[in-house]
Every structure is written in C-alpha cells, then in structure tokens.
Amino acid sequence: MTSNNPAVFLLMVNGQIESADFPEYDDLYCKYCFVYGHDWAPTSGLEEGISQITSKGRLSQSLVWNFPLDITFKSTNPFGWPQIVVSVYGPDTFGNDVVRGYGAVHIPFTPGKHTKTIPMFVPESTSRLQKFTSWLMGRRPEFTDPKVVAQGEGREVTRVRSQGFVTLQFNIVTKDMKKLGYDTTSTEHSPAGLTRASQQL
Amino acid sequence: MAELHIIGQIIGATGFPQNSLFCKWGVHTGGAWRLLSGLREGQTQVDMPQTGDMAYWSHPIDLHYTTKGLQGWPKLHLQVWHQDSFGRCQLYGYGYIHVPSSPGQHRLQCVTWRPLGSWQDQLSEMFVGGGPQLRSPDLIYSGADRYRLHTVGMGTVELELCIILRHFDRYGVES
C-alpha cells in the first residue's frame, strides 16, 4: 500500500442521500447512479441504488431518506470526475410512478465533509399538442437514460421545469493525489497549507 | 507542461426580469493553452422554475488544459437568453469571469449586462421585444473596444468550479 510511485489515486466517498424538498409532491423514492470518465473505475461499493418510499411527516415538510452512499473510485486523471445522478419518482393521481425530478452534482473534490443541495428538474413537452396528450394519457415526458443530466452535450434542445431539491452529504477521502502532482487545495485559506509548510520544515 | 483541470457546474441564474432562461457558454484561452479533453463551449437546458426566481441549469463543465505559459489564463464567457412560450429567444445578458487561479472549490457569481439602444429602440423593445446584440461576441471578454457601448446591468449567474493544478510548482509558479 505504501508505494512511493503510485500510478493511480483513490477517491473514497461516504455519505448519504439525506432528504428532499418537493413542495407539491409526496410519497417519493429516489434512484442514484454514478457517471464517470474513461479513466475512472469503481473499486468497491455500489454504483446504483434505489431507496425506500418516504412521506412527509406531520411536523416537517421534508422527505427523509437517510439513504447510504459508500463507494471508492480509482483513476489516473481527474478528467471525467464522477458525478452522482439522482432521480426522484412518485405516484401521480392514478397511482402510476412518474418522475418528479432529475439532478446531478460532482462528487466534492477536497477531503472533508460536504453538504450539497441540488436542484431537481423534469423535462417538459415542447409542443402544445404533446402537452395536451400527455395530460390526457396521464404520462409525462421522462429521460430514457437519467445519465444525460450529467452530460454537457445535447442539452440545448431540452426544456425543463425545476420543482424541488435533494440534499446530499459527503465525506471525502483522497489518496495519492498529491503524490501524482495534483493540487486541489488552496494554500491561502485552508489548514492543509499549514501542514504542508510544516512538513517542509 | 503544467496541467489545469476545470471541473464544475453552471448552477443557474437569478435576478433576471423573467424566467425560462438558458445560457450559452464558452471558454476562451490564450495561445499557449491547449485543450486535451472536454467541451470548450455549450448550451444549457431551458428552465422554467415552478417556484422561486432562480432558473437552474446544473450544467456540467469538465475541461483539461495543458499550458506552456500563464498568459491568457482561461476565461468563461456567458450569454443568458430568454425563451418565450412561442420559442422565440431574446438576449438577456452577457458576462464573463476569469477561471480562478487558486486550486480548490470556488462558488462564483458572474454579473451580466446587456447593450442598451437609443430611446427609440428602448421604446420599440417595450412593445415588440427584441433588443440590440453585440455583433462580435469577443467583446464579452475583451476590454479593448467597449467605450462606445451603453449598457444596463442584468441578473447574476451562479457557478461552482473546482480547480485542480498539476506541475505548476515544478515551474516555480505560485498560486
């Protein structure tokens, strides 16, 4: 484990999908998956998951999942840094499961504890006819593959409506990024800069 | 050669007169910089938020540059557009920010502006919409030829970028 010339660096991600805030919907569950570049590979942990169905409490408006995330990646290159894609589903008035939001965020880059609140959006029909038929049939547009929300290409044709938030918590540990020459922490305002200075002494 | 990674998201925009916004973005660099992988420009989705006045795009950015010199550090330039219910697009703002030079995670706010026409233009804009646009979008990120412009401030665009540097210290560059 203690090699002096590492070829890869590791990114350990612990955390949870804590809760969601959807003012108009209830009884929701979520799915998550990770999207990452070619140089990346997961070494342990689950890449995909599906949560329980949660309802709003009597006292609070937030939908609590408390769903664990636990995965480790290895890579040689930060390009294609992993993103977590979360999609939220819930029943419509007829009891069919429809999507209530898609969202994505990069895994935090610096070691430590991070809380991320990500906006969730659904695609909208582009034509009025489609809007009418989807209202009539009780089906709404969905992405065939939720992973498109983590891609920068081909988004100029989508119209979306953002209608909620999901809160995620991360604890990040990285290994060998410094040894490979990657500098992710600023020396100005982080205690990491102090430890580095003391190491030089 | 030194390497620079720019990874993050264009989160969204706030403070514009109407929602249903999208953003065209691009990165401009000096001649010494070479893009190894990633998309240099793009366009976000159109968001019509259900609640609140912030339009969310969550648009990912992931760029890998190498460089031989520091001149022409990357700049991100943005154009915010409004799309109405008929699909017509109107310019709502131009803006640019320098990509931060210190490594780590940064939450950035980019202010935007748009050109203002003569009072006749403004009057016709009130009734039929539309408005002046820059003929050369280079003006968004250059300060050379701005002095004849009359502009008005618009909303702000929020971004979150993480900067990862590699081998800059090998050349004695302090950041």
Side-chain angles (χ1 to χ4, degrees):
Chain A
M1 286 296 279
T2 55
S3 69
N4 284 327
N5 294 314
V8 295
F9 64 85
L10 294 179
L11 172 70
M12 190 183 87
V13 185
N14 290 332
Q16 59 167 301
I17 304 176
E18 196 180 74
S19 59
D21 176 26
F22 282 84
E24 300 189 15
Y25 303 109
D26 204 352
D27 303 329
L28 302 177
Y29 66 94
C30 75
K31 292 182 191 174
Y32 77 86
C33 60
F34 289 96
V35 177
Y36 44 84
H38 294 298
D39 301 329
W40 289 78
T43 57
S44 72
L46 290 174
E47 254 187 273
E48 290 182 329
I50 182 160
S51 79
Q52 75 275 23
I53 300 169
T54 184
S55 300
K56 284 173 186 162
R58 260 189 307 146
L59 295 175
S60 85
Q61 279 294 294
S62 87
L63 296 141
V64 176
W65 282 307
N66 189 226
F67 193 71
L69 301 171
D70 198 342
I71 190 164
T72 306
F73 291 97
K74 67 171 181 187
S75 178
T76 52
N77 182 355
F79 179 73
W81 194 276
Q83 298 178 64
I84 183 168
V85 174
V86 181
S87 42
V88 174
Y89 301 83
D92 65 1
T93 42
F94 307 105
N96 304 315
D97 273 355
V98 292
V99 69
R100 294 302 182 204
Y102 297 99
V105 73
H106 283 98
I107 302 296
F109 302 86
T110 48
K113 183 172 171 292
H114 304 264
T115 305
K116 295 268 174 195
T117 300
I118 59 172
M120 304 296 285
F121 49 82
V122 287
E124 285 278 301
S125 311
T126 39
S127 75
R128 273 155 215 266
L129 179 69
Q130 266 176 359
K131 229 174 239 175
F132 178 70
T133 49
S134 74
W135 175 80
L136 208 65
M137 311 280 282
R139 293 188 55 178
R140 56 158 306 111
E142 295 185 9
F143 292 127
T144 48
D145 184 6
K147 290 182 176 175
V148 292
V149 299
Q151 283 154 15
E153 267 174 315
R155 290 171 75 118
E156 57 268 27
V157 286
T158 47
R159 292 178 72 148
V160 302
R161 180 178 298 278
S162 56
Q163 53 188 14
F165 297 92
V166 167
T167 304
L168 303 159
Q169 277 206 25
F170 296 101
N171 288 292
I172 304 297
V173 180
T174 57
K175 180 183 181 310
D176 290 338
M177 279 199 79
K178 278 258 161 60
K179 272 190 192 161
L180 284 166
Y182 291 110
D183 198 358
T184 56
T185 46
S186 150
T187 43
E188 287 162 34
H189 40 70
S190 74
L194 287 174
T195 53
R196 202 192 308 170
S198 61
Q199 274 170 358
Q200 279 168 354
L201 289 171
Chain B
M1 275 196 290
E3 294 173 38
L4 169 70
H5 288 269
I6 306 164
I7 308 176
Q9 271 189 350
I10 307 175
I11 294 170
T14 173
F16 285 89
Q18 267 173 303
N19 276 309
S20 186
L21 302 172
F22 68 93
C23 176
K24 294 182 189 180
W25 63 274
V27 179
H28 176 81
T29 59
W33 296 74
R34 206 158 63 84
L35 182 70
L36 287 186
S37 40
L39 294 172
R40 196 197 305 263
E41 56 188 12
Q43 186 176 319
T44 67
Q45 60 204 15
V46 186
D47 186 32
M48 295 161 281
Q50 184 95 347
T51 50
D53 98 313
M54 182 148 180
Y56 289 101
W57 298 316
S58 304
H59 191 94
I61 291 178
D62 196 338
L63 293 158
H64 184 186
Y65 279 101
T66 78
T67 181
K68 285 180 268 186
L70 289 179
Q71 278 75 40
W73 193 276
K75 290 172 190 173
L76 196 68
H77 50 92
L78 308 161
Q79 298 180 26
V80 180
W81 292 74
H82 166 72
Q83 192 184 51
D84 69 8
S85 53
F86 302 103
R88 297 178 302 183
C89 298
Q90 186 188 349
L91 176 86
Y92 262 19
Y94 296 112
Y96 98 91
I97 40 162
H98 272 104
V99 168
S101 51
S102 64
Q105 212 145 359
H106 303 269
R107 181 100 185 186
L108 305 164
Q109 257 132 8
C110 177
V111 291
T112 64
W113 51 272
R114 74 182 172 90
L116 209 58
S118 60
W119 69 266
Q120 291 98 328
D121 292 338
Q122 288 174 47
L123 194 71
S124 77
E125 198 183 315
M126 260 173 67
F127 291 103
V128 295
Q133 294 170 25
L134 294 180
R135 190 179 290 163
S136 65
D138 309 347
L139 220 57
I140 304 171
Y141 49 84
S142 87
D145 211 15
R146 288 233 192 141
Y147 62 94
R148 283 169 302 197
L149 269 177
H150 186 187
T151 64
V152 61
M154 298 298 277
T156 52
V157 177
E158 280 199 37
L159 305 105
E160 197 163 80
L161 295 181
C162 179
I163 307 301
I164 301 174
L165 304 178
R166 190 189 198 192
H167 296 334
F168 274 80
D169 45 357
R170 197 179 275 182
Y171 299 94
V173 177
E174 293 142 356
S175 51

